[in-house]
C-alpha cells in the first residue's frame, strides 16, 4: 500500500519498485508491504535496502535506508544439542563403569569457539551447538583441553572427537581420563646408524626392555631426543621411525599413547 492505498509493485529480479507520481519537499509518503520468508531460506541475516530514484534522470533522490531480517534456527527441529561427561576411567576401558566418578572443572572447546565446563559430576552440555546441513548433515568436532585436567590425568581415548550431526538430534561425547604412569626413553644420534633412522644392532634389545616396562601398568611413553648437529628433518624421521616400530610391536593390552619431544644442545637446529 502507498499512503494507505493499494499499489502493486513492479518486480525486477530482486528489486521491488513502487511508482509515485510526484515528490515535493517536506512531504511524507509511506509504503507498507508484507513479506513472507520462504521455506528454502537458510539461517542468517538478510538486509533489505530502500532508496528513492528519479525515473527521469536515473539518479537517486535520497540516501539509502536499510533494515535487517534475521532468520534463526528452530531450537527443536534445526538445532543439535551436545551433552557428555568427563570421567575418571580407572580401568582404562573407555566406558564409565560403576564407581568411576566424573571430573569437575574440565574445559571443552568446539571448532567455532564455543566453550563448556564440566559441573561437579563431570557433566557438560552445549545448547544449539550446531545447525547441520539440512540435506547431508555436518561434522561436529569437540576437543577436551587437557591443560584443565587434574595433575597427572590424561585422556584415555580419542581427543578431539568427531561425530556426524543431524538436525534436531542430540550428540553425546564422553571423555575417559586416567592417571598414567609416564615412561621416558631418551635417544640421541649415537643410537642410530649414521644419517639413518635405523637403530644400531646393540640398541635393539632396549626396545624389548621398554615394552616389558610398559606392560607393568597403564603407561604413557615419552620419547625424548637430544639433538646437536643433525638436521631437523633427520631428527623428525628418526622419532617417527622409532615410534612406528614401538607401535608395531605393542600387543594392545591397553591403548598406548606416545609423546615425542626434542631438545637441542645449542638451542636450535644447526
Amino acid at each position: 500500500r502507498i499512503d494507505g492505498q493499494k499499489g502493486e509493485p513492479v518486480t525486477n529480479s530482486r528489486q521491488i519498485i513502487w511508482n509515485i507520481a510526484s515528490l515535493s519537499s517536506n512531504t511524507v509518503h509511506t509504503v507498507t508491504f508484507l513479506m513472507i520468508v520462504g521455506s528454502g531460506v537458510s539461517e542468517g541475516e538478510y538486509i533489505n535496502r530502500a532508496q528513492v530514484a528519479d525515473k527521469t534522470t536515473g539518479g537517486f533522490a535520497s540516501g539509502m535506508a536499510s533494515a535487517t531480517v534475521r532468520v534463526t534456527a528452530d531450537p527443536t527441529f534445526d538445532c543439535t544439542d551436545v551433552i557428555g561427561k568427563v570421567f575418571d576411567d580407572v580401568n582404562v576401558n573407555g566406558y564409565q563403569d560403576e564407581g568411576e566418578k566424573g571430573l569437575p572443572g574440565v574445559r571443552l572447546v568446539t571448532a567455532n569457539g564455543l566453550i563448556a565446563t564440566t559441573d561437579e559430576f563431570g557433566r557438560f552440555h552445549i545448547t544449539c551447538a550446531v545447525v547441520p546441513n539440512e540435506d547431508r548433515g555436518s561434522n561436529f568436532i569437540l576437543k577436551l583441553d587437557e591443560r584443565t585436567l587434574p595433575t597427572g590425568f590424561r585422556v584415555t581415548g580419542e581427543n578431539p572427537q568427531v561425530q556426524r550431526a543431524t538436525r534436531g538430534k542430540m550428540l553425546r561425547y564422553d571423555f575417559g581420563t586416567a592417571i598414567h604412569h609416564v615412561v621416558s626413553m631418551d635417544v640421541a644420534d649415537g643410537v642410530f646408524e649414521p644419517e639413518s633412522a635405523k637403530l644400531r644392532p646393540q640398541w635393539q634389545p632396549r626396545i624389548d626392555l621398554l615394552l616389558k616396562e610398559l606392560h607393568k601398568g597403564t603407561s604413557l611413553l615419552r620419547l625424548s631426543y637430544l639433538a646437536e648437529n643433525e638436521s631437523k628433518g633427520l631428527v623428525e624421521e628418526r622419532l617417527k621411525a622409532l615410534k612406528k616400530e614401538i607401535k608395531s610391536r605393542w600387543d594392545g593390552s591397553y591403548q598406548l599413547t606416545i609423546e615425542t619431544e626434542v631438545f637441542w644442545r645449542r638451542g636450535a637446529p644447526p
Side-chain angles (χ1 to χ4, degrees):
R1 295 179 181 271
I2 303 176
D3 297 328
Q5 301 299 317
K6 290 182 179 181
E8 288 297 321
V10 177
T11 59
N12 179 17
S13 183
R14 300 182 65 176
Q15 287 186 333
I16 304 176
I17 302 169
W18 285 270
N19 292 312
I20 297 177
S22 62
L23 290 174
S24 57
S25 60
N26 298 321
T27 58
V28 176
H29 295 277
T30 302
V31 177
T32 306
F33 60 100
L34 175 67
M35 282 178 41
I36 299 176
V37 180
S39 60
V41 176
S42 59
E43 294 80 15
E45 292 187 345
Y46 297 86
I47 301 176
N48 300 292
R49 297 179 175 88
Q51 198 168 17
V52 176
D54 190 329
K55 290 180 63 176
T56 304
T57 64
F60 291 103
S62 75
M64 181 177 289
S66 65
T68 301
V69 176
R70 181 180 295 110
V71 180
T72 60
D74 184 277
T76 303
F77 298 105
D78 295 326
C79 284
T80 294
D81 295 333
V82 171
I83 65 170
K85 205 169 196 181
V86 179
F87 60 93
D88 182 3
D89 191 10
V90 178
N91 56 7
V92 199
N93 67 351
Y95 300 95
Q96 187 179 20
D97 300 309
E98 187 176 353
E100 295 181 340
K101 298 182 179 180
L103 298 180
V106 180
R107 184 166 58 234
L108 301 106
V109 185
T110 71
N112 56 0
L114 297 176
I115 298 175
T117 305
T118 58
D119 64 9
E120 59 180 314
F121 303 107
R123 302 171 302 191
F124 66 90
H125 80 278
I126 304 174
T127 303
C128 198
V130 62
V131 180
N133 183 282
E134 188 173 3
D135 297 323
R136 60 182 181 273
S138 303
N139 285 341
F140 186 78
I141 183 170
L142 186 65
K143 181 177 177 62
L144 185 149
D145 185 354
E146 297 192 37
R147 298 171 299 177
T148 61
L149 287 173
T151 303
F153 277 81
R154 304 266 182 169
V155 178
T156 57
E158 291 185 3
N159 186 35
Q161 293 185 28
V162 181
Q163 294 189 41
R164 195 70 175 173
T166 303
R167 288 200 175 202
K169 294 185 177 181
M170 183 176 61
L171 294 177
R172 182 183 179 98
Y173 291 80
D174 288 331
F175 291 87
T177 66
I179 297 179
H180 284 64
H181 174 59
V182 179
V183 176
S184 297
M185 184 178 186
D186 300 330
V187 294
D189 182 55
V191 175
F192 300 89
E193 298 284 359
E195 297 299 319
S196 170
K198 184 179 180 181
L199 284 176
R200 293 177 184 267
Q202 62 268 34
W203 290 101
Q204 287 288 347
R206 294 290 181 177
I207 301 295
D208 297 323
L209 291 176
L210 173 65
L211 294 173
K212 185 178 179 180
E213 184 66 28
L214 292 172
H215 275 107
K216 291 181 178 180
T218 304
S219 304
L220 181 143
L221 176 59
R222 181 176 295 142
L223 300 177
S224 301
Y225 191 108
L226 183 60
E228 186 171 5
N229 297 318
E230 308 94 300
S231 67
K232 182 179 179 182
L234 180 59
V235 170
E236 292 176 350
E237 184 181 351
R238 286 174 168 176
L239 282 174
K240 184 178 179 180
L242 182 57
K243 184 177 179 180
K244 182 178 180 181
E245 181 173 357
I246 294 171
K247 283 276 191 180
S248 66
R249 296 172 61 177
W250 180 246
D251 62 5
S253 57
Y254 60 86
Q255 185 174 346
L256 178 62
T257 301
I258 302 178
E259 296 179 350
T260 59
E261 55 186 0
V262 180
F263 297 97
W264 294 94
R265 288 183 185 273
R266 300 180 181 181

